[in-house]
Amino acid sequence: EIFARKLPYWDEEVSHVLSMVADTALRPPYRPLAPAGCPSRVVEVMEKCWANDPLGRPSFEAIEWGLSGLGVQSSAFFSLREASRKKTDVLHGVFPPHIAQALVRGETVQPEEHAMCTVLFMDIVGFTALSQRLSPSLVADLLNRLFGCLDQLCEQHGVWKLETIGDAYIGVTNLLRDQSADHAARMARFAIDAIAVSECVSISEADPSMGTVQIRVGCNSGPLVANVVGTRNPKWTIFGDTVNLGSRMETTSEAGRAQVTEETARLVRQQDPSIRLARRG
């Protein structure tokens, strides 16, 4: 397009092109012709881009390097490259790096078994009633401000933010990297800070009389399985009794408190005796 100022296969019927390109028996594969006067270096880059094996195709950075020094400029190309970079950044923000890379390559992600992780669930106390008093845009603003604070705490404490569902926030430790020495204590410190930070987040910035957010937290430690589910808008999530019990710890917790299972409490005592624990009931 840069040299010919025309689309590939511009003079052929679309149906014919599709059938020829899809015919894997053709040798060599059906590909567009390089425009007249196109430098050999550009032709070489083009041929690499349409390689049959996707893993053999160059990255946008490699294409840029291959075209450097030739006076080749295309706003469409560089816009596409920038869009690809943003897409990759988003993928790495939602999925762990190795999962994001596998999805980009079109690979099927296999389930991962983890012998010991700590899972945290938290939600806003009285969220249903708040949703009835606030407009949808103010609810979205509230969640954005609260979750933004929690995201920063995740970075500080080394907690992987798994996902948010409505007002629920889910985090995991000892999942992506080895935190076996302190995963439970790490999560406990995160929970303590999350409760404190949430109490500084106003429910409505326009109406301070509504007060601040209160959350409740539940944690559990144990084995789990992580995997990608779905093909359209895929989600990397976790499964197992450890996860289910962690969720129940949150739903039966109290405002401004973090409720943990006996297993998590045992690990916290081992990993950081300075963290105060009190038996409930």
Side-chain angles (χ1 to χ4, degrees):
E1 290 182 39
I2 295 172
F3 279 90
R5 301 293 187 232
K6 296 175 182 177
L7 294 173
Y9 310 110
W10 65 274
D11 58 346
E12 301 181 56
E13 290 291 333
V14 174
S15 57
H16 170 72
V17 172
L18 290 176
S19 63
M20 295 295 285
V21 171
D23 189 347
T24 57
L26 286 178
R27 293 291 183 276
Y30 193 69
R31 298 291 186 263
L33 298 174
C38 188
S40 59
R41 190 168 164 185
V42 175
V43 174
E44 181 182 351
V45 172
M46 289 168 54
E47 290 175 345
K48 288 180 179 178
C49 289
W50 63 49
N52 270 358
D53 182 4
L55 296 179
R57 299 170 191 166
S59 64
F60 283 104
E61 288 75 14
I63 296 172
E64 181 181 5
W65 180 88
L67 299 180
S68 62
L70 296 176
V72 178
Q73 294 183 348
S74 169
S75 60
F77 165 74
F78 290 110
S79 295
L80 185 60
R81 183 197 65 184
E82 184 62 23
S84 176
R85 284 179 176 170
K86 290 180 179 179
K87 179 181 178 181
T88 301
D89 290 344
V90 170
L91 279 175
H92 281 270
V94 176
F95 298 99
H98 70 290
I99 299 295
Q101 292 165 9
L103 292 174
V104 169
R105 292 193 298 265
E107 299 173 359
T108 299
V109 178
Q110 299 301 319
E112 299 176 355
E113 295 186 2
H114 297 268
M116 177 61 69
C117 297
T118 296
V119 184
L120 172 144
F121 288 80
M122 66 174 65
D123 70 357
I124 298 175
V125 177
F127 181 72
T128 301
L130 286 177
S131 299
Q132 295 173 347
R133 296 172 61 190
L134 298 173
S135 68
S137 60
L138 289 179
V139 171
D141 176 68
L142 166 60
L143 294 178
N144 185 55
R145 288 185 286 110
L146 174 62
F147 290 168
C149 294
L150 297 179
D151 290 349
Q152 292 181 23
L153 288 179
C154 281
E155 292 292 327
Q156 294 175 20
H157 290 278
V159 174
W160 174 258
K161 173 189 175 181
L162 184 70
E163 62 179 324
T164 59
I165 305 173
D167 66 315
Y169 193 99
I170 307 171
V172 193
T173 51
N174 204 33
L175 183 64
L176 300 185
R177 57 186 183 215
D178 184 9
Q179 298 170 324
S180 54
D182 67 345
H183 62 92
R186 181 184 296 267
M187 190 65 89
R189 290 189 291 267
F190 170 78
I192 293 169
D193 286 351
I195 292 170
V197 165
S198 68
E199 292 175 351
C200 298
V201 176
S202 59
I203 293 174
S204 171
E205 292 185 314
D207 185 2
S209 66
M210 294 189 70
T212 58
V213 174
Q214 281 195 310
I215 63 172
R216 58 186 177 185
V217 180
C219 299
N220 186 32
S221 303
L224 56 80
V225 173
N227 197 15
V228 174
V229 293
T231 53
R232 184 175 180 84
N233 298 326
K235 182 172 72 170
W236 192 67
T237 190
I238 53 177
F239 304 91
D241 289 341
T242 299
V243 181
N244 298 335
L245 185 52
S247 176
R248 288 198 290 273
M249 287 294 102
E250 177 265 316
T251 56
T252 57
S253 185
E254 298 178 347
R257 295 293 184 94
Q259 179 173 239
V260 303
T261 60
E262 190 64 43
E263 176 64 10
T264 300
R266 181 184 68 81
L267 290 169
V268 169
R269 292 187 184 100
Q270 289 179 358
Q271 296 171 5
D272 188 350
S274 68
I275 296 176
R276 293 177 57 191
L277 296 169
R279 186 170 294 276
R280 182 181 181 187

